[in-house]
């Protein structure tokens, strides 16, 4: 366990944030010390558990639940804390998806993905010669979609026990009083410093006169003020009034498109969750505008048909089969998936047994199927997203993935409002067959249109066993998200691994194009040799995914935060 020790005075978060409950005064601020904390990679809890990208955010979520909140309260508090302590991807200036199940068995899919501004148009990133100017879809004001996170949180509140003003207060305290950053966070902030300066029009807390060091305290007063407006006015505290005016003023200074009308019109949407059976387990996932749920259903159904479990874990035959189902699912993604309010996604067909059997007809267990023989578009996206999983003993399950897209999004901080805007417009296809910042191309299904949501890979996922809560899982990682969730599920459900092994075993990824298998450092050499002999191109990747997983077993909640980052668990 990494113990973070820094020579700063212990300051408790100033406000007691949770009212008296069950005759007991509980104060989230008294439980969470943002100046001295450790990273807990796994924990076994009795009542409630959180796994997220930052230990402080997980601790805030757990403290809220210990004070009497349910998993929805814990998830909202964790998400808001991430918006402060994990500015790479935690956000109020981005968007995301929630897949959840209440203790009464109601399943929920909430879409708070960003939308293209009203003034956006299909060719907005093309110059007069028709060339794509992808720097504009990737950096600065024009790259930002209309944020959805605050609208999403306000919808999740209906399932929570506490009002927003209590759930948001720990985040306000963290922003106002500061928190100690880790070495990793200092490196990330220093790395993005020049881009933050170039793409913002006002000074912000993320850039100081000297470089950041691990152990420094980051105070963000402007963000605390924005969160306070949200606390006091709810959704209108972000989409109207002073915060909206600050966003629009920032857009005007930087020639962006988001208007007061865009903000006023933004709505989070409830969708029908994807639900399917896998060998007796029920898997629940996110439908479009995320591709994640469909891809996971396709991949799980294709491996079930071929009985993956007869092959040893990470052996050449098991990896080869999984690579081939990943290839076929991702080829479908580029051609067929987009915002369902704008494009008819053939979801029933794509996930039908007959279609998937046809898809695997040319599968050959002795060699690679060249991607050139499977027609569709290239898909590759950002790694800078974040996931949180929350489960309580009453049976509420919450899986939320949110993103700014690139690391620190558009690198534009809204002047005097203290938060980063996303660069999610780059998840659209800016021009057919022109790759975005991560190499993705697409077509009509994912073309830009006003108010349209850009296609995502985010895959917040739940699993039930005997119709009871079993697993809450998700990960960041762009296009590697569906494959990382797929592989975590395979590790747990097919190979019956412990949650810790399921998260930390080496991962691999194929996304149809480029026609290569990405693999992590500690991948077995014999498996790689076997794949090369069968005609696969292998590509070493530093790391794939950062999975946050909670499994309920024998009445206990086993939470695991991925070993690949500073991610942490908390619970009680
Ligand atoms: N921006 C990454 C995703 O939505 O998949």
């Amino acid at each position: 366990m990494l113990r973070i020790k820094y020579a700063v005075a212990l300051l408790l978060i100033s406000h007691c944030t949770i009212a008296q409950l069950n005759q007991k005064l509980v104060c989230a601020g008294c439980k969470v010390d943002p100046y001295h904390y450790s990273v807990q990679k796994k924990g076994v809890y009795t009542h409630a558990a959180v796994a997220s990208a930052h230990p402080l955010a997980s601790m805030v979520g757990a403290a809220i639940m210990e004070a009497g909140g349910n998993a929805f309260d814990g998830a909202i508090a964790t998400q808001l804390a991430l918006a402060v302590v994990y500015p790479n991807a935690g956000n109020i200036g981005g968007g995301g998806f929630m897949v959840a199940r209440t203790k009464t068995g109601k399943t929920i899919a909430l879409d708070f993905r960003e939308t293209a501004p009203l003034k956006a148009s299909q060719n907005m990133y093309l110059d007069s010669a028709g060339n794509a100017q992808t720097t504009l879809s990737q950096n600065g004001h024009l790259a930002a979609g209309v944020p959805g996170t605050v609208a999403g949180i306000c919808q999740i509140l209906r399932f929570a026990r506490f009002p927003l003003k209590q759930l948001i207060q720990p985040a306000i305290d963290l922003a106002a009083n500061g928190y100690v950053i880790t070495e990793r966070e200092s490196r990330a902030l220093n790395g993005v410093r020049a881009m933050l300066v170039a793409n913002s029009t006002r000074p912000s807390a993320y850039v100081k006169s000297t470089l950041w060091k691990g152990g420094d305290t980051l105070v963000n007063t402007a963000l605390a003020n924005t969160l306070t407006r949200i606390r006091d006015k709810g959704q209108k505290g972000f989409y109207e009034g002073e915060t909206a005016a600050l966003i629009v003023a920032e857009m005007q200074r930087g020639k962006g498109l988001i208007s007061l009308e865009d903000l006023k019109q933004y709505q989070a949407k409830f969708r029908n969750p994807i639900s399917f059976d896998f060998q007796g387990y029920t898997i629940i996932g996110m439908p479009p505008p995320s591709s994640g749920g469909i891809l996971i259903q396709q991949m799980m159904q294709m491996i079930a048909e071929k009985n993956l479990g007869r092959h040893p874990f990470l052996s050449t035959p098991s990896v080869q089969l999984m690579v081939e189902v990943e290839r076929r699912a991702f080829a479908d993604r580029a051609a067929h998936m987009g915002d369902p309010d704008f494009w008819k996604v053939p979801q029933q067909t794509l996930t039908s047994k007959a279609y998937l059997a046809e898809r695997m007809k040319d599968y050959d267990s002795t060699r690679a199927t060249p991607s050139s023989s499977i027609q569709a578009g290239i898909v590759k996206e950002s790694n800078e997203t974040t996931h949180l999983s929350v489960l309580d003993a009453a049976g509420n399950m919450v899986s939320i993935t949110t993103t700014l897209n690139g690391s620190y999004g558009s690198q534009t901080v809204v002047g005097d409002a203290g938060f980063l805007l996303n660069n999610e417009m780059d998840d659209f296809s800016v021009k057919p067959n022109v790759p975005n910042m991560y190499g993705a191309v697409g077509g009509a299904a994912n073309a830009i249109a006003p108010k349209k949501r850009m296609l995502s890979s985010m895959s917040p996922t739940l699993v039930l066993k005997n119709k009871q809560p079993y697993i809450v899982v998700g990960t960041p990682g762009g296009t590697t998200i569906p494959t990382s969730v797929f592989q975590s599920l395979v590790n747990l459900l097919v190979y019956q691994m412990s949650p810790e092994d399921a998260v930390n075993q080496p991962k691999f990824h194929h996304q149809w194009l480029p026609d290569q298998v990405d693999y992590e450092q500690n991948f077995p050499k014999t498996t790689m040799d076997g794949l090369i002999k069968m005609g696969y191109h292998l590509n070493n990747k530093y790391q794939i995914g950062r999975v946050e997983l909670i499994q309920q077993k024998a009445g206990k909640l086993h939470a695991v935060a991925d070993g690949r980052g500073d991610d942490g668990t908390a619970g009680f």
Side-chain angles (χ1 to χ4, degrees), residues 108-315:
I108 304 150
L110 179 64
D111 162 5
F112 49 99
R113 182 69 160 164
E114 300 91 330
T115 56
L118 289 163
K119 288 197 203 110
S121 57
Q122 186 165 344
N123 297 330
M124 64 185 276
Y125 297 112
L126 304 188
D127 66 15
S128 53
N131 299 313
Q133 299 178 287
T134 46
T135 53
L136 295 179
S137 64
Q138 294 165 13
N139 307 303
H141 300 70
L142 208 55
V146 183
T149 297
V150 174
I153 286 170
C154 290
Q155 291 300 327
I156 302 169
L157 273 174
R158 69 180 70 190
F159 307 105
R161 293 188 63 202
F162 294 146
L164 180 62
K165 67 176 192 303
Q166 288 176 321
L167 302 176
I168 203 171
Q169 193 63 48
I172 295 173
D173 295 342
L174 285 165
N177 302 330
Y179 66 99
V180 161
I181 63 169
T182 64
E183 284 295 333
R184 192 190 302 265
E185 288 159 352
S186 70
R187 282 196 301 275
L189 282 165
N190 293 337
V192 77
R193 179 190 170 92
M195 293 300 277
L196 287 172
V197 170
N199 290 310
S200 303
T201 61
R202 291 277 190 273
S204 79
Y206 302 115
V207 177
K208 62 185 179 73
S209 53
T210 55
L211 291 181
W212 291 99
K213 306 182 296 305
D216 284 348
T217 299
L218 199 163
V219 176
N220 191 340
T221 310
L223 178 56
N225 293 339
T226 299
L227 292 168
T228 301
R229 288 190 291 275
I230 297 168
R231 178 194 68 189
D232 295 341
K233 301 204 168 87
Q235 187 159 333
K236 288 188 177 175
F238 184 86
Y239 292 94
E240 296 179 35
E242 188 176 342
T243 311
L246 290 171
I247 295 170
V248 173
E250 184 62 52
M251 287 289 125
Q252 285 166 353
R253 287 194 296 273
K255 300 194 172 51
L257 296 185
I258 299 173
S259 65
L260 286 177
E261 195 54 32
D262 281 311
L263 293 163
K264 209 167 158 189
Q265 286 192 22
Y266 183 85
Q267 283 185 333
K269 294 186 176 181
F270 286 96
R271 308 277 184 188
N272 291 324
I274 286 177
S275 180
F276 64 97
D277 175 82
F278 175 77
Q279 298 179 344
Y281 300 98
T282 307
I283 298 178
I284 302 162
M286 190 70 215
S290 181
S291 60
I294 292 180
L295 293 183
I296 290 170
Q297 183 172 3
Q298 288 188 307
M299 294 188 288
M300 295 301 281
Q301 290 186 173
M302 285 190 269
I303 56 151
E305 199 56 38
K306 296 283 178 199
N307 191 10
L308 173 74
R310 73 200 145 104
H311 302 303
F313 175 67
L314 277 193
S315 61

Side-chain angles (χ1 to χ4, degrees), residues 97 113 333 381-382 385 403-405 424 427 455-458 478-479 481:
F97 300 99
R113 182 69 160 164
R333 180 194 192 274
E381 287 174 359
S382 159
T385 297
T403 188
L404 289 170
N405 195 21
E424 218 68 63
D427 264 353
L455 184 62
S456 173
S457 298
M458 291 187 270
T479 41
I481 293 174

